[in-house]
Amino acid sequence: MKIHEYQAKEILRSYGVQIPRGRVAEATEEAFLIAREIGAKKIVVKAQIHAGGRGKGGGVKVVSTPEEAEKAAGEILGMRLVTHQTGPEGRIVRKVLIEEGVEIKEELYLGVVVDRSKACPVMMASREGGVEIEKMAEETPEKIVKEWIDPLTGFKPFHANKMGYGLGLEPAQVGKMRVFFAGLYRAFWEKDCLLAEINPLVLTKSGDFVALDAKMNFDDNGLYRHKEIAALRDLNEEAPLEIEASKHNLNYVKLDGNVGCMVNGAGLAMATMDIIKVVGAEPANFLDVGGGATADMVRHGFKILISDPGVKAIFINIFGGFLRCDTLATGVTEAVRDTKVNVPVVVRLEGTNVAEGKRILKESGFHFTVAAGMKEGAEKVAEALRSSKQ
Ligand code: GDP
Ligand code: MN
């Protein structure tokens, strides 16, 4: 789960991290009042969406008076902000963060993520902040300082020394940065984050460090331990079909392709997406209905697939173990009965009660294309797409 910058900053502040003074606003008058209250020479108005790259997309404005802050908020609120992370459809801005402006001397990067191959958190920092870390990692990896942190012993003062001196900071600066290193790590660890990032972390002209931006992504599996974080979920920022799927405990991720996929098991789902690409088509989603899916869950899953206008064909690829093929077939036929399905549906079933499953599909009255194997199924999907284009 993702949260907004202003929310991440509040969490970091509770860990001792320095952030600019400011508050969030949903209306222009509110923006004016907050800017007046801050009373600084420079005020920054920032669009709050769950995506980065806002600066370049026109979602961050630096102004000098409360009147100008009100005007900037008026321009940003309600705008459809397009950045390299939002996709071409962009995001409607519903909130702006009004903050005290900072005189920037240098922009640094600081982040903590899970390093899956080493099975522990890794802290990364660079003197060249502001830009995306992915780009930096690709083009100038030598400019990134990294420390892997043993989850059992946690973050220690020597980690801060290695990070700070690794960045080439002065001793006094390393001293000031300690709270950023330790605070960010503790926030990451205690809140069950997958990522916690400050980009840019700026060195001001007066020699202090401030977190100008903040981003935190949480492990959904840990949210039950953090009610206060789960409460920050902003449904406006999530794809409507993904929200619908999560209501039915379906593991669904929307993608941009044209083949709707219904699969059981994450591994088989990944393999199915791969094979769809191999035959020259593109998956429209990842959908794992899970081992213990009921006919009702399958029915909801299928409905989600067909309500995506991008879906031009459906590929059901099931290996029946705990999820029996007849349960799957019942769910799918119920969904087909309740809704108009006007795209071809290719089914590959294998495993428990496969004969019964196939019989149910056959007697449903709907024409399913049955494939003998996974590869054949993918090929039949590609074929169906080609003939529906003609
Ligand atoms: P992002 O583009 O979505 O990552 O948004 P950021 O919060 O990182 O802001 C983008 C850029 O806006 C920063 O890299 C800064 O250059 C600029 N910016 C943000 N706040 C201030 C500020 O207080 N003063 C100045 N001068 N620039 C700022
Ligand atoms: Mn940023």
Side-chain angles (χ1 to χ4, degrees):
M1 191 190 89
K2 294 181 180 174
I3 59 172
H4 289 292
E5 171 193 6
Y6 76 94
Q7 297 165 327
K9 279 180 167 165
E10 278 310 313
I11 295 173
L12 290 182
R13 184 167 52 177
S14 71
Y15 283 89
V17 169
Q18 184 73 35
I19 59 167
R21 284 187 300 139
R23 266 192 300 131
V24 74
E26 290 179 42
T28 52
E29 311 80 62
E30 215 183 337
F32 174 85
L33 293 175
I34 297 169
R36 199 174 59 181
E37 189 183 305
I38 293 171
K41 276 201 279 271
K42 256 170 71 180
I43 299 283
V44 187
V45 181
K46 305 179 77 177
Q48 299 296 290
I49 57 169
H50 285 187
R54 295 163 302 165
K56 279 187 198 139
V60 178
K61 291 198 158 78
V62 184
V63 298
S64 328
T65 64
E67 287 77 13
E68 284 173 22
E70 182 173 7
K71 185 165 165 277
E75 287 161 10
I76 295 175
L77 282 168
M79 84 184 276
R80 186 176 288 277
L81 182 52
V82 179
T83 80
H84 66 279
Q85 286 185 6
T86 60
E89 72 280 7
R91 292 278 170 77
I92 303 284
V93 182
R94 292 177 169 87
K95 289 176 185 165
V96 284
L97 176 59
I98 313 296
E99 271 185 350
E100 171 179 21
V102 172
E103 297 279 2
I104 300 174
K105 184 161 173 228
E106 193 182 323
E107 300 193 45
L108 294 87
Y109 171 93
L110 180 64
V112 184
V113 292
V114 178
D115 182 336
R116 288 169 197 271
S117 61
K118 290 210 165 65
C120 70
V122 57
M123 178 172 278
M124 294 181 287
S126 170
R127 291 296 279 263
E128 298 193 9
V131 297
E132 302 116 69
I133 188 75
E134 294 85 357
K135 209 167 149 192
M136 211 189 314
E138 214 167 275
E139 291 166 10
T140 49
E142 71 283 359
K143 290 184 177 162
I144 304 176
V145 180
K146 290 185 182 177
E147 270 301 311
W148 284 268
I149 294 142
D150 186 323
L152 271 183
T153 45
F155 193 87
K156 299 289 169 208
F158 79 87
H159 288 121
N161 286 338
K162 284 177 78 182
M163 293 296 300
Y165 292 111
L167 286 171
L169 297 172
E170 302 292 321
Q173 293 178 322
V174 175
K176 286 182 177 175
M177 280 287 281
R178 279 181 203 287
V179 63
F180 286 84
F181 295 134
L184 187 69
Y185 183 79
R186 272 186 57 217
F188 169 91
W189 182 255
E190 289 177 10
K191 303 292 184 190
D192 291 319
C193 288
L194 295 175
L195 172 148
E197 192 180 77
I198 303 175
N199 187 25
L201 191 170
V202 304
L203 173 60
T204 67
K205 290 201 174 138
S206 53
D208 292 312
F209 291 100
V210 182
L212 260 208
D213 191 8
K215 183 172 172 182
M216 292 177 100
N217 296 350
F218 302 90
D219 183 346
D220 291 349
N221 297 312
L223 281 178
Y224 76 98
R225 307 204 282 199
H226 310 286
K227 298 277 183 287
E228 76 295 350
I229 297 209
L232 302 179
R233 185 170 175 196
D234 184 348
L235 294 179
N236 285 321
E237 293 287 330
E238 296 178 23
L241 290 179
E242 292 185 7
I243 298 168
E244 180 63 19
S246 72
K247 278 192 214 156
H248 303 289
N249 285 321
L250 294 164
N251 201 348
Y252 171 88
V253 180
K254 176 153 170 38
L255 301 168
D256 296 329
N258 52 5
V259 180
C261 309
M262 176 180 282
V263 191
N264 65 327
L268 186 58
M270 300 293 273
T272 304
M273 290 163 65
D274 281 349
I275 205 153
I276 287 171
K277 285 215 168 221
V278 167
V279 299
E282 290 288 328
N285 65 280
F286 169 96
L287 172 60
D288 170 15
V289 292
T294 59
D296 207 43
M297 282 168 74
V298 169
R299 183 166 63 89
H300 283 296
F302 194 85
K303 283 190 169 175
I304 287 166
L305 292 190
I306 51 177
S307 54
D308 176 353
V311 167
K312 302 295 177 225
I314 289 176
F315 184 21
I316 300 178
N317 186 13
I318 299 291
F319 189 83
F322 292 116
L323 169 61
R324 300 181 341 232
C325 293
D326 55 321
T327 306
L328 179 277
T330 306
V332 171
T333 36
E334 277 171 11
V336 169
R337 214 168 288 146
D338 305 352
T339 31
K340 232 178 99 228
V341 181
N342 44 19
V343 296
V345 181
V346 177
V347 188
R348 179 258 174 163
L349 288 180
E350 209 53 76
T352 312
N353 291 1
V354 62
E356 178 64 4
K358 284 186 178 162
R359 187 189 63 77
I360 294 171
L361 291 180
K362 202 166 172 201
E363 291 171 6
S364 68
F366 182 85
H367 176 71
F368 294 98
T369 304
V370 177
M374 189 157 155
K375 181 95 189 296
E376 188 187 311
E379 279 160 358
K380 287 194 164 165
V381 167
E383 208 176 285
L385 281 173
R386 274 194 300 274
S387 51
S388 64
K389 258 186 210 144
Q390 284 158 9

